[in-house]
Amino acid sequence: MTKTQSIHKAVIPAAGLGTRFLPVTKSMPKEMLPIIDKPVIHYVVEEAVNSGIDDIIIITGRGKRAIEDYFDAAPELEMRLKDQHKDATLKRLKEISDFPTIHYVRQKEPNGLGDALLKAENHIGNEPFAVLLGDDIISNRKPCTAQLMSVYSRFNASVISIEHVPREKVCHYGIIKGNEIEPDLIRIEDIVEKPSPEKAPSDMGAVGRYIFVPEIFDCLKNTDPGVGNEIQLTDAIHLLLRDHPVYAYKFEGKRYDTGDKMGYIETIIDFALRDPELRDNLRKFLSDRLCQD
Ligand code: G1P
């Protein structure tokens, strides 16, 4: 067996149009929606960095420039905060410039997640890499990507994160079929993108974290347009399965789907309830508000 290569590169696809959040996403990337005072994508980059990733490429598209501005340094702003002795705010701002250098590549046409990922091929080269979808936040002490890396290093194979989804929602996910080989770990036999509840092979859906061997790029190139007439990552995983094992891992942690309105509201409330400055007032507000109904 060949030696397992360590994973230090990550791709964050963030080119999607964000139609579920129109009209606000007309002029603002959905990945920049604020969770109180940090955008969603901040948490995604933070997870990558906390998992040991030191090379990040974000796939953007038209109207996504705010993402690049956010991760750029802001010397004038930092200077002003320093002069005003706003040290805590300055520290928070510096955390962003301390992230590793982020590379950007544009997806010119919105041709789907699979096509977006293919744009990272030159940067990734011939090594395994992580993928973190730009609108999913997964909160846990050991980051979800680090959990997947542990599985990768045991099996030297691609691995995707999954969770049980309600039957009526399987049509929003890539749904796997496979056998549990040990608790929380499944060897995938097949995967299908956004099936109807009647056709779904299970209720286990892929969520936004993956580790891939570089062979996924050849599979993406051989993938025809699928659901929504777009190149689907799920269909490329289906091809990868012909010659390569792929595992699914029921990760530890709470996933927040910020691309969904209800998921976004839940994220803000949960994060505010964890914030010592906001917690007490929010609790009081919520209980008063609920009593009125
Ligand atoms: C994408 C993937 C899907 C996956 C989902 C997780 O769908 O195509 O397989 O289950 O992300 O959030 P999207 O949410 O972009 O429609």
Side-chain angles (χ1 to χ4, degrees):
M1 197 180 187
T2 49
K3 196 174 169 295
T4 307
Q5 277 179 277
S6 68
I7 290 158
H8 75 107
K9 289 185 180 175
V11 184
I12 302 181
L17 296 176
T19 42
R20 282 186 285 174
F21 269 90
L22 280 170
V24 70
T25 45
K26 194 167 163 253
S27 64
M28 174 190 188
K30 63 175 171 165
E31 298 78 10
M32 288 300 293
L33 287 171
I35 306 302
I36 309 170
D37 54 7
K38 288 182 194 163
V40 172
I41 197 165
H42 179 110
Y43 293 95
V44 179
V45 168
E46 197 169 59
E47 178 189 324
V49 173
N50 290 341
S51 301
I53 296 290
D54 61 14
D55 185 333
I56 293 173
I57 177 163
I58 300 183
I59 315 298
T60 66
R62 257 192 295 283
K64 300 278 184 168
R65 204 170 293 160
I67 298 178
E68 295 184 43
D69 288 341
Y70 180 78
F71 289 109
D72 201 0
E76 297 85 3
L77 189 55
E78 288 182 15
M79 190 72 82
R80 184 174 280 248
L81 292 171
K82 203 170 169 210
D83 290 346
Q84 294 171 346
H85 305 289
K86 295 193 170 157
D87 297 341
T89 314
L90 183 63
K91 190 165 167 265
R92 304 193 76 205
L93 217 62
K94 278 204 184 300
E95 276 172 25
I96 303 169
S97 25
D98 285 348
F99 282 144
T101 304
I102 299 178
H103 307 265
Y104 299 90
V105 64
R106 273 181 174 233
Q107 182 189 29
K108 288 189 184 147
E109 305 278 340
N111 284 338
L113 178 59
D115 177 69
L117 202 51
L118 207 41
K119 302 285 178 268
E121 183 183 15
N122 283 346
H123 188 84
I124 298 295
N126 193 27
E127 57 181 282
F129 62 100
V131 175
L132 297 88
L133 299 191
D135 54 7
D136 266 348
I137 296 178
I138 300 183
S139 166
N140 195 56
R141 201 176 42 80
K142 179 171 177 176
C144 182
T145 298
Q147 295 174 42
L148 295 187
M149 285 173 173
S150 304
V151 177
Y152 169 81
S153 61
R154 281 179 60 203
F155 296 95
N156 203 11
S158 302
V159 51
I160 72 179
S161 58
I162 51 156
E163 70 179 4
H164 286 285
V165 295
R167 270 277 163 188
E168 69 279 10
K169 289 200 171 164
V170 291
C171 55
H172 298 303
Y173 293 86
I175 299 291
I176 66 155
K177 175 183 173 201
N179 291 315
E180 198 157 40
I181 54 169
E182 57 184 67
D184 300 332
L185 189 66
I186 291 160
R187 178 146 177 182
I188 301 181
E189 284 169 15
D190 203 1
I191 182 162
V192 39
E193 180 70 1
K194 301 191 171 78
S196 63
E198 306 76 52
K199 293 206 173 137
S202 75
D203 67 348
M204 284 174 298
V207 300
R209 303 294 184 265
Y210 312 76
I211 303 278
F212 288 117
V213 293
E215 286 78 4
I216 191 71
F217 289 121
D218 284 336
C219 298
L220 284 165
K221 285 178 215 158
N222 289 317
T223 297
D224 293 324
V227 172
N229 204 25
E230 293 181 340
I231 307 293
Q232 296 294 345
L233 173 58
T234 296
D235 296 338
I237 301 172
H238 171 83
L239 290 185
L240 186 68
L241 280 163
R242 286 188 189 163
D243 298 315
H244 298 272
V246 183
Y247 293 86
Y249 183 62
K250 289 186 206 159
F251 62 95
E252 257 178 48
K254 164 102 179 109
R255 172 210 177 213
Y256 295 94
D257 178 8
T258 67
D260 169 79
K261 282 182 192 163
M262 197 53 217
Y264 178 62
I265 295 167
E266 285 172 14
T267 316
I268 294 184
I269 293 178
D270 264 9
F271 278 59
L273 286 173
R274 281 186 219 159
D275 184 328
E277 275 181 30
L278 301 172
R279 190 170 38 213
D280 294 343
N281 287 340
L282 179 61
R283 272 176 181 278
K284 183 167 181 330
F285 169 77
L286 288 175
S287 70
D288 290 352
R289 189 71 191 74
L290 292 174
C291 286
Q292 286 167 18
D293 285 343

